[in-house]
Amino acid sequence: MTPSLARTRIKICGLTREQDVDAAVAAGADAIGFVLYAKSPRAVTAQRAAELARRLPPFVTPVLLFVNPTPTEVIAACALVAGATVQFHGDETPQQCWQASDAGRLPFLRAARIPLGEAGHSFDLLKYADQYSQAQAILLDAHVDGYGGAGQTFNWSLLPPNVDAHLVLSGGLTPANVTDGVRLLRPRCRSLAVDVSSGVEASAPDGSALKGIKDAEKIQQFVAAVRAADATPF
Ligand SMILES: O=C(O)c1ccccc1NCC(=O)[C@H](O)[C@H](O)COP(=O)(O)O
């Protein structure tokens, strides 16, 4: 088989500020995620997401992230944010995702939350991708308390060698590990994108993470690390 080069698409998630949206776009992000889950420290309202999304140039996609929303919530939020992709990151069933995506009118990502440790071996990604076949892609995240955004990786080697789906690798990605993650998983699926939140966030003087506040330099480093992986044929 002829080795191929692929441009790994990049989503930067959990943005709350204009300067961070501008920095992510300048760095080359393909998608910008806005968390519409009120319990998240990165939460924004649909109105605020719409305000921030108006800064996006053509061909950079706003992603609206929900946890167990009603169809009304999703459809109303997407009416404010033109061209949005929806991300379901809770316990939504395939039917609930279909209904909340307005019967598939709204493109959506489905987060698969992979259990950590030995429990991860029982997660059947092929079955999950088949169950959620209406999703544009399956976003692979670690199964953590609070549903997501925890900066926690799962065991990437658990993924089967041939997943006939578009995947988004997420969960604990950083500029230091994303190159390895892309190189390992890109050959195992139809296409691979990456998603990051904690790994590109600023730190307080005491070293604690400032959730929702992104670090432009870390974003640049993350994109460069993804491009380093893209330079390796697979
Ligand atoms: O980001 C959050 O605060 C969040 C809260 C509840 C559910 C999902 C959430 N984020 C979902 C994302 O798409 C994150 O980018 C993904 O979980 C990866 O986060 P991180 O491990 O911090 O890079």
Side-chain angles (χ1 to χ4, degrees):
M1 183 175 81
T2 306
S4 66
L5 285 172
R7 181 184 173 284
T8 304
R9 291 176 176 80
I10 299 169
K11 171 181 169 247
I12 309 292
C13 195
L15 279 76
T16 65
R17 305 188 306 173
E18 285 78 357
Q19 59 263 51
D20 296 341
V21 171
D22 296 348
V25 169
D30 300 283
I32 303 293
F34 302 109
V35 177
L36 274 62
Y37 176 51
K39 293 182 180 176
S40 165
R42 305 178 178 100
V44 294
T45 63
Q47 293 75 10
R48 177 63 173 152
E51 185 178 44
L52 291 168
R54 280 194 285 274
R55 305 179 75 86
L56 299 180
F59 315 126
V60 178
T61 303
V63 178
L64 302 183
L65 187 152
F66 298 90
V67 172
N68 302 326
T70 64
T72 302
E73 284 175 81
V74 176
I75 293 166
C78 290
L80 297 176
V81 185
T85 291
V86 176
Q87 180 175 319
F88 295 112
H89 216 105
D91 310 300
E92 302 86 353
T93 65
Q95 180 60 15
Q96 287 169 332
C97 290
W98 183 248
Q99 288 171 340
S101 71
D102 199 12
R105 179 179 63 83
L106 302 169
F108 66 91
L109 310 177
R110 170 68 239 180
R113 295 158 51 226
I114 317 290
L116 303 180
E118 286 307 304
H121 289 273
S122 64
F123 186 86
D124 186 341
L125 179 59
L126 296 177
K127 178 180 176 185
Y128 193 91
D130 185 55
Q131 285 176 327
Y132 291 92
S133 60
Q134 302 290 358
Q136 187 177 46
I138 303 296
L139 183 141
L140 307 172
D141 197 1
H143 192 291
V144 295
D145 293 339
Y147 288 103
Q152 174 68 54
T153 56
F154 64 92
N155 182 353
W156 299 338
S157 64
L158 288 175
L159 258 69
N162 56 348
V163 184
D164 186 19
H166 298 293
L167 299 183
V168 182
L169 177 60
S170 180
L173 295 184
T174 68
N177 68 16
V178 69
T179 303
D180 289 343
V182 171
R183 284 176 175 156
L184 177 67
L185 301 189
R186 193 176 58 189
R188 302 190 187 189
C189 49
R190 282 175 65 181
S191 75
L192 185 75
V194 292
D195 163 63
V196 65
S197 190
S198 302
V200 294
E201 284 182 329
S203 302
D206 66 2
S208 61
L210 294 173
K211 292 186 182 295
I213 306 298
K214 304 306 177 181
D215 178 316
E217 177 60 29
K218 289 183 182 178
I219 292 173
Q220 291 276 357
Q221 291 168 353
F222 184 83
V223 173
V226 174
R227 295 294 167 250
D230 288 350
T232 311
F234 72 98

